[in-house]
Amino acid sequence: MSAEVREAVADLLADRVTPGALEAAERDGWAAGVWEPLHAGGFTTVGVPESAGGAGGSVAEACAVLEAAGAAAAPVPVAETGLLAGRLLASAGLALPDGPVTTGTGSVTLSDGTLTGRLARVPWASASSRIAVLADGPDGPVVAVIDPGTTSISAGHNLAGEPRETVDLDGVVPETTAPAPADAREALARRGALARAAQIAGAARRVLAVTVTYTGERVQFGRPVSRFPAVADHLVRIAEQAEMAAMAARSAAVGAGPDGEPADLDVAAAAAVASEAAGLVAAAAHQATGAMGVTREFALGVLTRRLWSWRDEWGGERAWSTRLGHTLAAGGPEALWPTLARGVR
């Protein structure tokens, strides 16, 4: 089903994520014309159980949605509403509110029914209907649902122009709360890293298509520039890295256990591979396209700015590479090859 889901989302976004829509989204912080058809089709909540108000489906299908959204550079919180906030709420037995929902990380506590702390770089906080907050309560982790209108939000953006805002929660009273699983924070970090890996995989493949088309049409000295060995090397590098990112992200998604949670080692590998690929793909694409690649009217810059932004969110290459190494080392020498060959599951 994942391939069909990916194709359906790609078809839906093809004539909606236009240069004009992307310009408006960077200016206004929201793209209703992109969000509404995705949400109406149920794609924004794929991977969230139906019992929690989601569309159901597997983590692999949720990541297929994110691949297509990443390839289109869709400027809406698809990852946040479904795989991140949606599954966080479901893990605490809370229903998913209607509309866009987001979440973030930070040091937050819940005491006497009131929150204290702040969330940093929250995607689309101002545009969301609700924010799902993971807080430390007196008896353990708690999931709290808050109305953004009751908080103080400071504007901010990533390099791609996507909203990344600071949310001050001091004195905020949640609409509802529920105990969270003991490993909720770790699970959220894994899902966040996997979501960005899937988006990077989609964007990298689109970069390949854009670059191949441009270098095939651009003629120098009587032949397409793609025929020059130096440019051909860049195209091969992009193709290799895009495929590696896709394989790593899809493997981690497909390997999710019966509880719907991806394994730590699988996510660490996917995040490390995708984060490294993001930088290599962007560099090679700009080398191959030259000055044209940095112009606003060409699609490449929209994608590479996202690659540079997404690779550092929810951990980044160094953090997940370190985690991957520690996980493998902890298993000892006898487990190294079986783990590499079969995965932790």
Side-chain angles (χ1 to χ4, degrees):
M1 284 295 294
S2 296
E4 288 84 352
V5 170
R6 195 159 44 244
E7 291 171 8
V9 175
D11 290 343
L12 187 149
L13 294 175
D15 59 353
R16 289 180 170 87
V17 186
T18 62
L22 289 166
E23 287 276 356
E26 288 196 31
R27 182 186 65 245
D28 305 332
W30 188 239
V34 178
W35 170 264
E36 289 170 1
L38 277 173
H39 192 56
F43 294 113
T44 59
T45 60
V46 172
V48 180
E50 293 182 44
S51 59
S58 66
V59 171
E61 289 163 346
C63 286
V65 172
L66 296 180
E67 266 196 62
V76 288
V78 181
E80 289 71 25
T81 299
L83 200 56
L84 303 185
R87 288 192 66 87
L88 177 62
L89 292 168
S91 72
L94 296 173
L96 180 65
D98 189 31
V101 185
T102 190
T103 189
T105 59
S107 179
V108 181
T109 59
L110 177 68
S111 180
D112 296 326
T114 303
L115 293 169
T116 303
R118 66 174 52 189
L119 302 176
R121 301 186 62 76
V122 180
W124 286 279
S126 299
S128 295
S129 63
R130 295 294 183 271
I131 302 175
V133 177
L134 187 57
D136 294 318
D139 302 314
V142 174
V143 176
V145 179
I146 61 173
D147 181 346
T150 64
T151 71
S152 175
I153 299 178
S154 302
H157 299 82
N158 64 13
L159 184 62
E162 297 174 317
R164 295 294 187 266
E165 300 166 311
T166 300
V167 182
D168 190 343
L169 298 170
D170 287 349
V172 172
V173 177
E175 291 183 337
T176 186
T177 61
D183 65 343
R185 199 172 299 278
E186 286 291 308
L188 179 61
R190 285 194 298 270
R191 292 195 300 273
L194 179 58
R196 292 295 183 258
Q199 290 174 289
I200 286 171
R205 287 195 157 194
R206 176 77 186 288
V207 166
L208 174 62
V210 167
T211 309
V212 166
T213 298
Y214 176 79
T215 56
E217 295 174 347
R218 176 72 171 172
V219 176
Q220 289 276 344
F221 305 109
R223 58 176 174 166
V225 297
S226 59
R227 290 189 177 181
F228 289 86
V231 176
D233 285 347
H234 291 313
L235 297 179
V236 170
R237 170 66 65 86
I238 298 169
E240 289 174 340
Q241 294 298 322
E243 190 62 27
M244 286 174 60
M247 290 176 63
R250 292 175 186 179
S251 295
V254 169
D259 58 355
E261 292 297 332
D264 191 80
L265 183 138
D266 294 346
V267 171
V273 168
S275 296
E276 181 181 25
L280 295 174
V281 165
H286 281 292
Q287 286 283 345
T289 56
M292 184 63 179
V294 298
T295 59
R296 290 192 70 86
E297 63 266 25
F298 191 50
L300 183 62
V302 168
L303 295 162
T304 54
R305 285 190 291 124
R306 281 165 172 75
L307 290 176
W308 288 320
S309 299
W310 293 340
R311 67 177 177 174
D312 292 327
E313 295 182 344
W314 292 101
E317 179 186 354
R318 176 173 294 183
W320 286 104
S321 294
T322 301
R323 190 159 172 170
L324 177 62
H326 287 165
T327 302
L328 291 172
E334 297 299 325
L336 179 60
W337 175 249
T339 300
L340 293 175
R342 297 194 302 266
V344 293
R345 297 203 188 275

